[in-house]
Amino acid sequence: MRSLPLAVTIAVAMLAGCGIVKKLENRKVLAGLVMRSPDLAVGAPANLTVTGVVTAQVFFGDLQGDTQAPTGLADAAVTLAWAGGATGSVTLPAGPSAGWYQLTGTSVAHQAGLTYTFTVRYGGEVFTGTVVAPAAEGITELAAVTPPLIFPPTPNLAASFTKQTVSRTGSDTAVYAANPIEGPTSLGPTSCTNAPLSDAWAMVQLLIAAGPWTVPSFELWRTDLAPTAPQRCFAPGPGAWVVTLTTVRSGSVSGNLFFGSGVLAGSADAGVLVLQ
């Protein structure tokens, strides 16, 4: 079992000192995320056209102890609804392990300003979280580049390439990802990301101690030059990758949840790194 991160332990102590006892006594944990990968239409030298998809994900679990990771709870009924410029709702089916519920595709509307409501029904109780999707913050390194959406320089020589810096204005929470381009309309599996898409405690830490996600820039490395770094992103040699930076905002949750619960919505900007 994973120990509670130091930052989370400190936050618990601070909240207890402020008299926020009820949420500390609640043992159910909900962490929800909805974000959309961007549409991209990029000319030479990448020649890529892809349509973005929405990822909607919930972890719902029971906190067994203050120094243990929560246990995922199966058999919950989980829905995501949205309202604003568009309205609708979907059921999030159970994921690959207990407590995870997720849906990826085009069935969820996504745009800045929409209000998303996660609802979990379990054991006769209802748990909710609501968040408004932010506008995307542009990637600084792509501002006014030619050709559009291609990380400079062009050409980017594979032999001398070491890392790609990805930054944005402001200090909002952000997550990055890199995916290799496998064809003119297709991307390969994610090669690196700091998005907590499969780690319950990482999602909780992102909600209450987001420091590592609010730095002004991220360094994404060639894999052989940073073999122990989490930012191992780009295989050596020629290739092309879509690099995404998603700005996320947090919302509010119902009072019957553990204080570390929360929901997030994100909007993305992206560009293409081409190594020749």
Side-chain angles (χ1 to χ4, degrees):
M1 302 293 281
R2 176 171 300 188
S3 296
L4 195 67
L6 177 60
V8 178
T9 304
I10 293 172
V12 170
M14 291 176 64
L15 288 170
C18 293
I20 304 178
V21 176
K22 182 175 177 56
K23 280 201 170 186
L24 291 174
E25 292 177 344
N26 295 330
R27 312 311 290 174
K28 295 296 187 293
V29 177
L30 186 157
L33 172 69
V34 57
M35 60 185 186
R36 186 181 191 274
S37 62
D39 299 325
L40 278 176
V42 184
N47 298 316
L48 173 73
T49 302
V50 294
T51 300
V53 296
V54 177
T55 297
Q57 187 171 49
V58 162
F59 173 79
F60 181 67
D62 188 61
L63 195 66
Q64 301 298 310
D66 292 338
T67 60
Q68 295 179 333
T71 299
L73 296 174
D75 301 321
V78 181
T79 60
L80 174 65
W82 55 95
T87 59
S89 65
V90 294
T91 297
L92 301 188
S97 56
W100 291 95
Y101 303 84
Q102 57 196 49
L103 180 68
T104 299
T106 59
S107 58
V108 177
H110 191 284
Q111 62 191 57
L114 287 184
T115 298
Y116 294 91
T117 300
F118 296 85
T119 302
V120 177
R121 292 178 170 83
Y122 182 85
E125 290 189 86
V126 178
F127 307 86
T128 62
T130 302
V131 62
V132 178
E137 291 183 358
I139 297 174
T140 303
E141 289 73 19
L142 294 175
V145 297
T146 302
L149 303 179
I150 303 290
F151 283 95
T154 303
N156 211 319
L157 299 179
S160 58
F161 174 81
T162 58
K163 64 181 179 179
Q164 176 63 56
T165 300
V166 181
S167 58
R168 81 275 188 221
T169 302
S171 58
D172 282 328
T173 301
V175 298
Y176 62 77
N179 293 78
I181 296 174
E182 294 188 338
T185 60
S186 61
L187 301 180
T190 300
S191 58
C192 70
T193 183
N194 66 339
L197 297 179
S198 60
D199 187 323
W201 267 133
M203 289 187 75
V204 171
Q205 189 169 12
L206 174 57
L207 289 160
I208 66 174
W213 291 271
T214 61
V215 295
S217 62
F218 303 95
E219 307 292 340
L220 310 187
W221 287 82
R222 203 172 81 184
T223 55
D224 60 326
L225 298 181
T228 62
Q231 301 92 344
R232 299 191 305 267
C233 297
F234 312 111
W241 289 262
V242 170
V243 178
T244 305
L245 188 67
T246 303
T247 304
V248 297
R249 298 276 175 84
S250 60
S252 59
V253 298
S254 55
N256 57 348
L257 288 162
F258 177 65
F259 91 98
S261 300
V263 290
L264 301 164
S267 298
D269 189 27
V272 175
L273 173 67
V274 179
L275 302 180
Q276 298 179 331

